[in-house]
Every structure is written in structure tokens, then in C-alpha cells.
């Protein structure tokens, strides 16, 4: 069970977040036409913007960037769709952290720009947004990206230390073989 959760725990969290987001969208009471095409577009769009995070292993940059870009686009369709969803907030934070962990530093920084621009777009399109929201929301996601950046640097240092240890072990084995041969 532990190995399964280690491998698929984040996937389960992504699916649970997508379900919560879809249910929250279905239960909205602020819509004029709850069965219209824009509602269906919003439901499919917001659910797929979370589920795309399942592709993060294969597409470490594209999957979280897509989450942000779809959310920004959906905020033009229905301004309240993104700002009122707790599940999409969790997905956005997860996408920001994932963008920070991208190995290519240039792509990671581009991910920060995408997250900041998309969060500003969502806040600007949202009803009742204030000047404080225009600052605090992007800063919150920038902090999530910074956490991912720190995790990436730590992972790189750990991998470098493991490589040095592997090389040292090979050198010790070679020295032992030489000593035995003499």
C-alpha cells in the first residue's frame, strides 16, 4: 500500500480535486442558465484543467502550464467559475509548484510568468476583485512556484551527491582490485 501511495498518491489527489471542482461547479446557484452551453463548457473546461495535471510526468512543463492557461481562458467565459472554486485553487497552487520544479531553469521561469499572468487575468476578470487581490493572489502563487524551485534545487544537489558517492565507490573498488593484484 505504501509503494502504491508513493507512486500514485498525487494522482489520487488530482482526481479528488477534479471531482470536488466538478461537483462544486454543478452545485453553483449563481447561474442564469445552468443547462446552457457555457455551463457545459465551463464544467468540462474546469474539470479538464485539473485532470491535465495527471500528465505531469510525461509533460512536466506543459501540463501545469496548460492548467493555468485554461483557467485564464475560462475566466473570460464565466468570471465566477475560477474565483469561486476551492478545488481549482488547490490545482493552481499545485501547478505553480510543479512549474517551479521544472528542470530547465528558463522553462521554469517562463512557468512563473504564465502563472502570474494567468492569476492576474483570473483576478481581473473576477467580480468584486480589489487592488489587494491583484497583488496578494499572484504573490501567493509566486510563493508556490518558489517552493517548487527550492525543491528542484534540493533534488539536483541530492542527485549530484549520489553521483559523487557512486564514483567514489567505483574508485574504491578499482583501488581494492589493484591492491589485491599486487
Amino acid at each position: 500500500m505504501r509503494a502504491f501511495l508513493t507512486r500514485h498518491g498525487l494522482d489520487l489527489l488530482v482526481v479528488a480535486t477534479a471531482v470536488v471542482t466538478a461537483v462544486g461547479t454543478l452545485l453553483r446557484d449563481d447561474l442564469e442558465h445552468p443547462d446552457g452551453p457555457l455551463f457545459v463548457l465551463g464544467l468540462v473546461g474546469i474539470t479538464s484543467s485539473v485532470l491535465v495535471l495527471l500528465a505531469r510526468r510525461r509533460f512536466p512543463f506543459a501540463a501545469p502550464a496548460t492548467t493555468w492557461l485554461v483557467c485564464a481562458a475560462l475566466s473570460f467565459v464565466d468570471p465566477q467559475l475560477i474565483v469561486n472554486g476551492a478545488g481549482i485553487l488547490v490545482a493552481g497552487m499545485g501547478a505553480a509548484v510543479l512549474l517551479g520544479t521544472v528542470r530547465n531553469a528558463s522553462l521554469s521561469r517562463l512557468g512563473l510568468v504564465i502563472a502570474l499572468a494567468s492569476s492576474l487575468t483570473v483576478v481581473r476578470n473576477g467580480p468584486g476583485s480589489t487592488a489587494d487581490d491583484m497583488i496578494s493572489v499572484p504573490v501567493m502563487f509566486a510563493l508556490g512556484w518558489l517552493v517548487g524551485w527550492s525543491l528542484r534545487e534540493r533534488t539536483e544537489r541530492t542527485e549530484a551527491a549520489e553521483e559523487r558517492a557512486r564514483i567514489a565507490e567505483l574508485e574504491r573498488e578499482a583501488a581494492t582490485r589493484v591492491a589485491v593484484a599486487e
Side-chain angles (χ1 to χ4, degrees):
M1 184 68 166
R2 184 176 184 170
F4 175 80
L5 288 177
T6 300
R7 175 84 175 137
H8 300 289
L10 192 55
D11 293 336
L12 293 174
L13 182 62
V14 167
V15 170
T17 303
V19 169
V20 166
T21 302
V23 169
T25 303
L26 287 171
L27 296 178
R28 286 179 58 193
D29 59 359
D30 61 346
L31 297 172
E32 292 177 23
H33 304 289
D35 56 351
L38 289 181
F39 175 76
V40 173
L41 174 66
L43 178 64
V44 170
I46 198 164
T47 305
S48 63
S49 71
V50 176
L51 289 175
V52 74
L53 292 175
L54 292 173
R56 72 190 179 286
R57 288 186 189 99
R58 183 173 290 236
F59 305 106
F61 174 77
T66 300
T67 295
W68 276 108
L69 295 171
V70 168
C71 287
L74 286 173
S75 73
F76 287 102
V77 174
D78 182 356
Q80 293 187 5
L81 183 64
I82 305 298
V83 296
N84 290 336
I88 201 68
L89 174 68
V90 171
M93 185 56 75
V97 171
L98 288 171
L99 286 168
T101 62
V102 172
R103 297 251 179 190
N104 183 326
S106 298
L107 278 179
S108 184
R109 288 185 191 107
L110 177 60
L112 174 62
V113 170
I114 290 170
L116 293 178
S118 296
S119 66
L120 274 171
T121 301
V122 168
V123 170
R124 190 183 122 274
N125 289 342
S129 62
T130 65
D132 291 342
D133 294 337
M134 297 290 282
I135 295 169
S136 62
V137 172
V139 166
M140 176 181 62
F141 291 115
L143 290 173
W145 179 88
L146 191 59
V147 167
W149 184 267
S150 298
L151 289 171
R152 180 186 66 86
E153 286 183 344
R154 188 177 123 207
T155 300
E156 287 175 351
R157 285 193 307 267
T158 301
E159 289 172 350
E162 288 173 351
E163 181 63 18
R164 287 190 304 272
R166 188 185 67 77
I167 290 171
E169 181 65 26
L170 291 173
E171 289 173 354
R172 271 194 300 275
E173 289 175 2
T176 302
R177 279 188 239 121
V178 168
V180 168
E182 291 177 353

